[in-house]
């Protein structure tokens, strides 16, 4: 299992998939940037995919089949759990913690 951070739109959707805190979602395959559920281990990388001002952010756990992206910490997985919505303040705190760890 890998832990990380996911960006979502203002409606808590990503690519037309509706997410809810506390829920676990599964799919059959994971290929980074192509298919599966995506998130980033490094919270800073999330900002490359989602804007600060128009997005919502969540702490997640990914499991099952896992594929990594070669350019950053983006991960595709076949099973994702939305642990908590953390907001922009939570993302900034996660970025600072990631840098110092």
């Amino acid at each position: 299992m890998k832990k990380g951070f996911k960006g979502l739109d203002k409606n808590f959707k990503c690519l037309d998939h509706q997410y809810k805190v506390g829920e676990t979602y599964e799919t059959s395959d994971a290929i980074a940037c192509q298919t599966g559920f995506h998130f980033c281990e490094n919270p800073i990388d999330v900002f490359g995919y989602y804007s600060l001002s128009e997005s919502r952010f969540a702490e997640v756990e990914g499991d099952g089949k896992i594929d990594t992206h070669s350019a950053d910490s983006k991960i595709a997985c076949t099973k994702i759990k939305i642990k908590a919505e953390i907001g922009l303040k939570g993302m900034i705190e996660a970025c600072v913690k990631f840098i110092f760890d």
Side-chain angles (χ1 to χ4, degrees), residues 35-50:
T35 189
F37 300 109
H38 292 80
F39 66 95
C40 295
E41 288 184 291
N42 179 342
I44 297 167
D45 291 339
V46 175
F47 299 133
Y49 301 99
Y50 285 86

Side-chain angles (χ1 to χ4, degrees), residues 4-5 9 11 17 19 23 25 33-36 38 43 48 50 58-59 61 66 68 73 79 88 91:
F5 303 89
D9 72 12
N11 298 312
H17 186 89
Y19 290 90
E23 297 291 322
Y25 304 92
C33 300
Q34 291 182 29
T35 189
H38 292 80
Y50 285 86
E59 192 174 78
E61 291 178 349
I66 299 220
T68 58
S73 72
K79 184 175 181 180
L88 182 57
M91 282 297 285

Side-chain angles (χ1 to χ4, degrees), residues 10-73:
K10 64 183 178 180
N11 298 312
F12 222 63
K13 287 183 175 183
C14 177
L15 298 174
D16 292 327
H17 186 89
Q18 182 69 58
Y19 290 90
K20 292 182 182 177
V21 173
E23 297 291 322
T24 300
Y25 304 92
E26 293 189 55
T27 190
S28 59
D29 205 7
I31 301 170
C33 300
Q34 291 182 29
T35 189
F37 300 109
H38 292 80
F39 66 95
C40 295
E41 288 184 291
N42 179 342
I44 297 167
D45 291 339
V46 175
F47 299 133
Y49 301 99
Y50 285 86
S51 77
L52 291 168
S53 62
E54 298 176 12
S55 303
R56 294 168 71 181
F57 303 98
E59 192 174 78
V60 302
E61 291 178 349
D63 210 349
K65 294 179 191 172
I66 299 220
D67 188 43
T68 58
H69 188 270
S70 60
D72 61 18
S73 72

